[in-house]
Amino acid sequence: MPDFNDLTLLPFCVGLTLLGLIGSWAAWRRRGLAAGTRGVAWSLLPVSLYLTGLLELLWDVVKSVSSWVAHLIFSPTVWAGVALFGVSVVLYVVSGVAMRRRGGAVPEKAAKPKTPSAAVGELTATGPEPASAGKPAAKPAKAAKAPKAAKGQESSEEFDEIEDILKRHGIN
């Protein structure tokens, strides 16, 4: 790929700016002041990018991205890496499905060891206990079971399964 060349790029940017200014003058004559002003704004960009050094930066970015894409397309090593990434994603998804089918036996997090009981609101080494720590959690009211219809036999079985799952997790 050609390298960034100041001697070639400065005349190119000046030429683009001059062409843009001529077009802006024509736009101003045909469509009015707003169109001409917008054309001047766009026309000044090539020289301003050159003078600030951003054009060289933009050139380097385009050069690096195109080199990376060419390396990606033509390198068997990169394609092996892409294939391994795909295999990794597939294995992760399959393991999640296998965990769910096994009955959701995901190991529960170990319970936090309790500190010696302190009065509610009293400061301890681990901080104050919440006010609700000593009270058991209130249980939500049970919902009434839906009546079984002739066609609804399957849905009631599904509700029974859901109830069993909720009971196993301590949710009534």
Side-chain angles (χ1 to χ4, degrees):
M1 223 182 207
D3 201 15
F4 186 80
N5 188 350
D6 285 340
L7 296 177
T8 307
L9 208 51
L10 179 61
F12 179 72
C13 290
V14 170
L16 277 178
T17 298
L18 289 176
L19 284 174
L21 289 174
I22 292 169
S24 300
W25 177 77
W28 173 68
R29 298 285 286 163
R30 289 188 189 140
R31 292 184 275 156
L33 181 64
T37 306
R38 181 166 286 176
V40 169
W42 281 104
S43 299
L44 295 176
L45 281 179
V47 170
S48 67
L49 289 175
Y50 175 80
L51 293 175
T52 58
L54 289 174
L55 195 58
E56 184 177 358
L57 177 68
L58 182 65
W59 177 262
D60 290 341
V61 168
V62 168
K63 184 177 166 185
S64 296
V65 168
S66 62
S67 171
W68 176 79
V69 167
H71 178 72
L72 174 73
I73 292 172
F74 297 117
S75 172
T77 307
V78 172
W79 283 107
V82 169
L84 284 176
F85 181 79
V87 168
S88 173
V89 169
V90 168
L91 289 176
Y92 184 80
V93 170
V94 166
S95 70
V97 170
M99 284 179 152
R100 281 195 205 113
R101 287 196 178 187
R102 192 172 49 164
V106 178
E108 303 225 0
K109 292 182 180 176
K112 191 167 83 172
K114 291 193 172 192
T115 58
S117 56
V120 174
E122 183 179 324
L123 289 177
T124 61
T126 60
E129 275 194 42
S132 64
K135 301 176 188 174
K139 294 183 179 180
K142 273 192 171 180
K145 289 188 178 180
K148 294 182 181 180
K151 195 174 182 183
Q153 181 68 25
E154 294 173 8
S155 65
S156 67
E157 290 174 1
E158 290 175 4
F159 284 123
D160 292 340
E161 289 177 18
I162 293 171
E163 281 183 15
D164 290 339
I165 292 170
L166 293 174
K167 284 180 184 176
R168 274 189 264 145
H169 290 285
I171 302 171
N172 292 335

